[in-house]
Amino acid sequence: MSFTMTRNGAIVVVDVEGQLIVGNRQELKQKVLDELEKGERKFLVDFARTGYIDSSGLGVLVSLSKKIREQGGELRLANLNDDLKTLFELTKLDTLFQIADSRERGLESF
Amino acid sequence: MSLRSGRHPQVPAGEVASDGASLGSVRLALELEVPTDVRLISRIVQLVSRQVRDFDFPAHVCSLNVPVALSEALSNAMLRGNGDDPAKSVRIRMAVDDQELILEVTDEGSGFDLERCTQDPTTADNVLREDGRGLYLMRRLMDRVERFTDTAPAGHNVVRLTLYRPRPEAP
């Protein structure tokens, strides 16, 4: 389980490898908040290599989205597989986030 | 299927996974006891999901329903039931056959009111909340979720998750 941050123009792309769950959500939160602190405002979380997300992982995405918006920025998501789409639909979080089918489309959406 | 009967011998996972024969008459029972440490959750989930996969449950059951529901039950047990106290343990019991999967997660807490604690996170007021999705997801992803107080060890809190194998659709 790991998080990789890369920069693509003005957008910080976060790759979530493995699970986003109670055991590692704070690591993701801190990494994104550190970038926000440095002045970054556009974030794309790519789930192409993600296994599953639990409620605390979903909660961290909600929390980060709010904090980034408060600073005038945006957190968007990309590459949800069918299981993750189901999870976002069950919790209606698909209505809260802008979700792209691919990394490229996610980057273009900003 | 009861987790308490003890009538069914454990089947080593390797035998089940490697022989390729039908598991129609096989029932697998596992019991784990782990210390309170949320970093262990993904390993436990991986172990259990692998066994469920061997019983040919649908792919989404192994990659979504079981991992998320069990992860929620384990984190509730560790963080709420055991208060994140590493001296306290969590017991996981699993029984699976070709009809159903039962998971029991036992912590050392005094329990909670399942109905009262389950919120609907999809309402306009709740969708922006960081917490409050765990029990809801457990109940949406499993066919039955029950909470009761165990008799052995006395007073311990048990959450039981049951998932029935989906019936094949009629042609």
Side-chain angles (χ1 to χ4, degrees):
Chain A
M1 296 189 287
S2 66
F3 309 106
T4 309
M5 320 276 279
T6 51
R7 208 172 205 294
N8 192 306
I11 304 163
V12 175
V13 181
V14 186
D15 286 289
V16 179
E17 194 165 332
Q19 281 63 255
L20 174 56
I21 59 175
V22 65
N24 65 352
R25 63 180 167 152
Q26 283 301 341
E27 184 187 342
L28 173 67
K29 189 172 187 176
Q30 197 54 55
K31 283 190 169 186
V32 172
L33 290 179
D34 286 348
E35 295 300 316
L36 187 65
E37 181 93 352
K38 288 180 200 164
E40 302 294 347
R41 292 294 180 265
K42 295 177 180 176
F43 295 86
L44 179 69
V45 184
D46 190 333
F47 292 105
R49 301 177 73 183
T50 308
Y52 65 95
I53 304 175
D54 72 3
S55 65
S56 63
L58 293 173
V60 157
L61 295 173
V62 172
S63 168
L64 285 172
S65 175
K66 281 196 282 190
K67 287 180 191 299
I68 291 167
R69 279 184 190 215
E70 284 166 10
Q71 301 295 322
E74 185 102 31
L75 175 75
R76 295 180 181 173
L77 314 179
N79 274 323
L80 271 63
N81 64 26
D82 287 347
D83 290 340
L84 296 180
K85 280 180 190 163
T86 300
L87 204 57
F88 276 73
E89 286 165 9
L90 280 177
T91 53
K92 287 222 165 69
L93 289 178
D94 59 329
T95 63
L96 198 68
F97 290 99
Q98 188 162 331
I99 301 170
D101 290 341
S102 69
R103 189 185 190 100
E104 292 70 28
R105 289 194 179 184
L107 290 168
E108 287 166 10
S109 73
F110 281 95
Chain B
M1 177 165 60
S2 168
L3 285 168
R4 291 198 171 76
S5 69
R7 289 178 289 119
H8 306 286
Q10 288 195 2
V11 179
E15 288 182 30
V16 174
S18 63
D19 62 13
S22 166
L23 293 174
S25 59
V26 174
R27 174 181 301 173
L28 174 69
L30 284 178
E31 183 165 334
L32 306 169
E33 188 160 337
V34 298
T36 293
D37 182 348
V38 293
R39 293 171 302 179
L40 294 171
I41 289 176
S42 64
R43 297 290 300 277
I44 299 163
V45 166
Q46 188 180 30
L47 189 152
V48 168
S49 300
R50 196 183 303 143
Q51 310 306 325
V52 178
R53 193 170 291 119
D54 283 340
F55 278 79
D56 293 330
F57 274 73
H60 71 272
V61 165
C62 308
S63 59
L64 175 69
N65 300 62
V66 170
V68 175
L70 179 57
S71 186
E72 300 298 344
L74 288 168
S75 59
N76 277 351
M78 290 182 179
L79 297 178
R80 296 178 188 272
N82 288 352
D84 206 16
D85 180 351
K88 293 182 176 176
S89 61
V90 170
R91 192 178 63 202
I92 303 104
R93 300 166 97 180
M94 165 188 166
V96 59
D97 61 21
D98 65 341
Q99 296 299 311
E100 63 184 11
L101 163 71
I102 298 178
L103 296 166
E104 286 186 0
V105 176
T106 304
D107 61 56
E108 299 185 41
S110 53
F112 60 95
D113 185 326
L114 181 62
E115 293 304 325
R116 194 184 297 175
C117 291
T118 305
Q119 303 170 2
D120 180 356
T122 67
T123 65
D125 285 343
N126 289 341
V127 77
L128 284 167
R129 288 187 54 167
E130 188 173 349
D131 59 356
R133 294 181 180 85
L135 292 173
Y136 172 86
L137 279 176
M138 246 192 267
R139 299 179 85 170
R140 291 299 304 267
L141 294 171
M142 303 301 280
D143 289 317
R144 192 192 298 169
V145 178
E146 303 157 277
R147 194 216 69 81
F148 54 92
T149 302
D150 211 350
T151 51
H156 284 195
N157 173 53
V158 186
V159 169
R160 178 188 288 163
L161 312 173
T162 304
L163 189 72
Y164 303 109
R165 177 189 294 278
R167 293 179 187 280
E169 289 181 17

